[in-house]
Amino acid sequence: MRADRPDQRIEMDSGALAHFMPMHLLLDSEGRALSYGPTLARVLQDAARSGALFEELYEVRSPGGAVTIDEVLARGGHRFRLMPRNGLRAGLRGLGLRLPGSGAVLVNLSFGIDLTTAVRELALTDADFAATDLAMELLYMAEANAAVTRELRGLNLRLEGARIAAEEEALTDPLTGLRNRRAADLVLDRLCSARAGFGLLHMDLDYFKAVNDELGHAAGDFVLETVGRILRDQLRAEDCAARVGGDEFVIIVANRTDPRTLQAIAERIIARISQPMEFEGRICRVSASIGIVRSTDLALPEPPQLLAAADRALYAAKHAGRGRAVLLAPTGE
Amino acid sequence: MRDSVVRETVLGSEMDALLLRSLQSYVIDTFGPDRWQAVCRRAELAVSTFEPMLHYDLGTADRIAQVAAEVLGRPVDAIWEDVGIHLVTHPDREGIRRLLRFGGVSFADFLHSLEELPGRARLALPDLDVPEVTLDELGEDRFELRCQSPLRATQRVLIGLLLAMADDYGALCVISAEAGDCTSIAVLDRGHAKGRRFDLAVPEG
């Protein structure tokens, strides 16, 4: 069977045409409307009058320069784009054909990508589209994709929450609730690259090994937790206290470079830690030694140099007897 | 059974993920978060939230539903039917009802559209492995639906969806699970009630 037999003519009454092409427009040879498909009539509303001129109904967007249906057909009848002149925000896409004999023109139109707008503004239903039209599938797909995107956005938010929680955990020392070495390194990096002024305290507990050996690890843990609480009490939110080893701590005091202030903070911490701590009826006695360095002590403060300087100050403090705070001599570096 | 702890996997099942999330929403919305926590504890889950867009081991949904049946004291089939109803009727999940309503203007159209369900699902989620559905029209208003799925849950969830959608279209029908994967549907009254309104486009804003 051949689909293109030239002698094969079909005749169709307007009812059948409306059924197959609910968005057709039939124009006479002068370009005046003879009939409208029912859906196109809804699109054009009051403008869908018998005898209306094609160019009164539509503005031609492409092919450019065409105004009348004759010009449209002459320049690109196989595919054109129109905008209804009645203010509807949806463009139309179509093709046209001059019928033999009468010279009438049959134009068939569809909503392209503006389908959703048209359906919303005209409250179109399933019945307004031919059964072969993919409009339903397009509307369905737009909604399905929106639903999937919404789910993915939800998933992203939940994963982001989990990531923040995991990151928080990765920066915290679980025993004392203080920050850990990684967190202290991050803060030091940030402050150094911002050229901020700050004090760095390197603290080591005295007699901690004795508590562990004589009273057991539970007592040792209790001491570390208590030290954590003391440091949190003594420092401000913008400061950073980290446990960086067994009984070794790093304290970063933000925006403080005055030697007396830093010395006073260190001595206050030592005084609090030196108070006897009671664990299950036994008394734990520890103290602390602190080495202090200021970011301003170094010409070009970098974390490794600062930590090494604080370590030297701590060594000097231990050497001078326990329970002391020693500030690095300004000429030290 | 310690090895059966739930894992999110790359190659696992998307259907299990969707079923698990639906089950989670149903239990939380209907019985409260505490009962869902109880289900998760009893199933020895490391987490209590299932992600619909991730994958879980094949069969996880059926296993967790069995635990939910024990915790809630209800048969597992009844739970899955309720999950299907909940998916369509819960106001938070209006999207699913709308997607199903695109199937057609009448309940019969909707039933016929179920054969397109795998294709429709793939439009949205290309790697979703939705089981094939076939609908036989035995006579006027009498249908048989078959859905071959490795998951026990599928048939019961489908029955719940059908019950809720019949209501949505205002049709009165009897839906029952038959032997194998077969579900029989008898529409007693197409216009039993008014049915819910369905606009093709979601109103703006």
Side-chain angles (χ1 to χ4, degrees):
Chain A
M1 191 175 80
R2 282 180 50 182
D4 58 348
R5 275 167 61 182
D7 53 314
Q8 198 77 43
R9 288 274 163 89
I10 52 167
E11 287 195 10
M12 217 182 227
D13 61 32
S14 57
L17 192 61
H19 187 62
F20 271 82
M21 298 182 186
M23 285 186 60
H24 77 269
L25 169 64
L26 193 62
L27 301 161
D28 66 16
S29 55
E30 308 290 305
R32 292 185 183 277
L34 290 170
S35 70
Y36 300 86
T39 305
L40 186 64
R42 295 191 62 173
V43 172
L44 296 172
Q45 292 157 334
D46 295 341
R49 291 186 318 273
S50 178
L53 271 171
F54 173 82
E55 54 268 37
E56 292 168 357
L57 298 170
Y58 304 108
E59 178 195 338
V60 179
R61 306 294 306 178
S62 97
V67 176
T68 64
I69 188 64
D70 282 344
E71 289 163 350
V72 169
L73 291 183
R75 307 244 337 246
H78 57 285
R79 181 179 286 259
F80 47 81
R81 279 197 310 117
L82 309 173
M83 209 68 194
R85 289 197 190 272
N86 68 351
L88 183 75
R89 287 183 300 152
L92 298 165
R93 204 171 60 195
L95 78 172
L97 176 72
R98 192 174 295 281
L99 301 176
S102 67
V105 175
L106 180 63
V107 172
N108 196 23
L109 298 166
S110 85
F111 304 107
I113 207 68
D114 294 330
L115 174 71
T116 312
T117 310
V119 166
R120 185 183 299 121
E121 298 208 346
L122 302 170
L124 299 179
T125 70
D126 193 85
D128 291 314
F129 296 95
T132 47
D133 198 312
L134 290 177
M136 292 301 116
E137 281 74 10
L138 191 63
L139 292 170
Y140 166 84
M141 195 161 155
E143 278 201 45
N145 280 339
V148 170
T149 306
R150 217 163 28 243
E151 279 300 338
L152 285 174
R153 204 176 299 126
L155 173 64
N156 268 339
L157 283 175
R158 290 188 289 272
L159 289 179
E160 178 65 6
R163 191 185 67 80
I164 289 170
E167 204 149 79
E168 185 68 17
E169 259 168 46
L171 295 175
T172 305
D173 169 48
L175 179 62
T176 60
L178 298 174
R179 313 256 87 177
N180 59 18
R181 179 180 285 279
R182 196 172 147 252
D185 286 345
L186 287 173
V187 172
L188 268 183
D189 280 346
R190 180 166 53 77
L191 292 177
C192 284
S193 54
R195 298 268 169 271
F198 61 92
L200 176 63
L201 280 56
H202 190 184
M203 179 173 90
D204 196 76
L205 297 186
D206 301 321
Y207 319 115
F208 179 71
K209 189 171 180 301
V211 172
N212 253 339
D213 290 350
E214 289 162 25
L215 302 176
H217 285 290
D221 285 352
F222 171 75
V223 167
L224 292 172
E225 285 171 54
T226 308
V227 170
R229 220 164 15 248
I230 290 169
L231 291 181
R232 273 197 300 277
D233 283 353
Q234 296 294 320
L235 297 170
R236 303 159 303 165
E238 60 265 42
D239 301 330
C240 166
R243 176 169 169 244
V244 297
D247 60 343
E248 207 185 319
F249 299 81
V250 160
I251 299 150
I252 299 162
V253 187
N255 304 317
R256 294 282 181 277
T257 52
D258 174 51
R260 276 166 303 183
T261 308
L262 293 172
Q263 188 81 34
I265 292 170
E267 283 170 5
R268 220 165 52 222
I269 291 170
I270 293 170
R272 283 283 308 276
I273 292 175
S274 303
Q275 304 276 321
M277 304 173 192
E278 193 186 317
F279 176 70
E280 292 178 351
R282 313 272 304 264
I283 299 297
C284 314
R285 283 179 195 282
V286 295
S287 184
S289 300
I290 297 179
I292 309 169
V293 66
R294 301 169 302 163
S295 60
T296 48
D297 289 336
L298 272 66
L300 197 67
E302 293 291 341
Q305 284 76 14
L306 277 171
L307 286 168
D311 197 50
R312 278 201 304 282
L314 172 62
Y315 183 79
K318 288 258 181 201
H319 205 69
R322 310 287 158 106
R324 290 176 191 232
V326 170
L327 188 88
L328 185 81
T331 51
E333 197 79 359
Chain B
M1 285 294 281
R2 289 297 297 175
D3 286 350
S4 66
V5 171
V6 169
R7 284 179 296 138
E8 288 159 12
T9 62
V10 180
L11 292 170
S13 152
E14 305 91 352
M15 276 301 285
D16 275 86
L18 292 176
L19 288 169
L20 284 163
R21 178 56 164 219
S22 307
L23 178 68
Q24 174 190 321
S25 300
Y26 161 71
V27 174
I28 290 176
D29 292 343
T30 314
F31 302 95
D34 291 350
R35 301 301 288 281
W36 177 247
Q37 292 296 337
V39 172
C40 295
R41 273 197 306 277
R42 192 171 170 129
E44 299 185 340
L45 298 177
V47 293
S48 56
T49 305
F50 288 102
E51 286 296 343
M53 306 306 282
L54 298 180
H55 300 182
Y56 296 90
D57 286 343
L58 189 70
T60 308
D62 284 325
R63 186 171 76 80
I64 304 299
Q66 194 55 55
V67 177
E70 290 156 19
V71 170
L72 302 174
R74 307 195 58 200
V76 70
D77 285 348
I79 289 178
W80 280 126
E81 282 186 26
D82 285 351
V83 168
I85 293 172
H86 182 260
L87 271 176
V88 174
T89 55
H90 197 274
D92 287 358
R93 272 160 275 284
E94 169 77 2
I96 292 173
R97 172 207 166 240
R98 283 193 54 83
L99 291 178
L100 289 170
R101 281 291 295 252
F102 273 106
V105 287
S106 71
F107 186 61
D109 282 353
F110 163 75
L111 288 177
H112 281 288
S113 80
L114 290 174
E115 290 198 342
E116 295 179 352
L117 199 62
R120 286 176 178 271
R122 272 193 293 272
L123 270 183
L125 296 166
D127 56 354
L128 183 63
D129 194 15
V130 178
E132 293 301 319
V133 178
T134 53
L135 183 87
D136 289 314
E137 196 166 347
L138 303 180
E140 203 180 345
D141 294 330
R142 280 177 53 239
F143 303 89
E144 270 184 6
L145 191 69
R146 285 185 177 73
C147 175
Q148 289 210 320
S149 165
L151 305 171
R152 268 189 64 191
T154 311
Q155 186 190 21
R156 293 294 169 166
V157 172
L158 205 51
I159 289 175
L161 285 178
L162 291 174
L163 286 167
M165 287 308 288
D167 219 43
D168 211 87
Y169 279 101
L172 180 69
C173 55
V174 177
I175 298 169
S176 44
E178 307 291 338
D181 299 308
C182 182
T183 302
S184 76
I185 303 148
V187 182
L188 305 180
D189 184 353
R190 296 177 187 196
H192 171 69
K194 193 149 178 293
R196 278 178 69 194
R197 186 191 159 96
F198 176 63
D199 295 321
L200 282 184
V202 190
E204 227 166 357

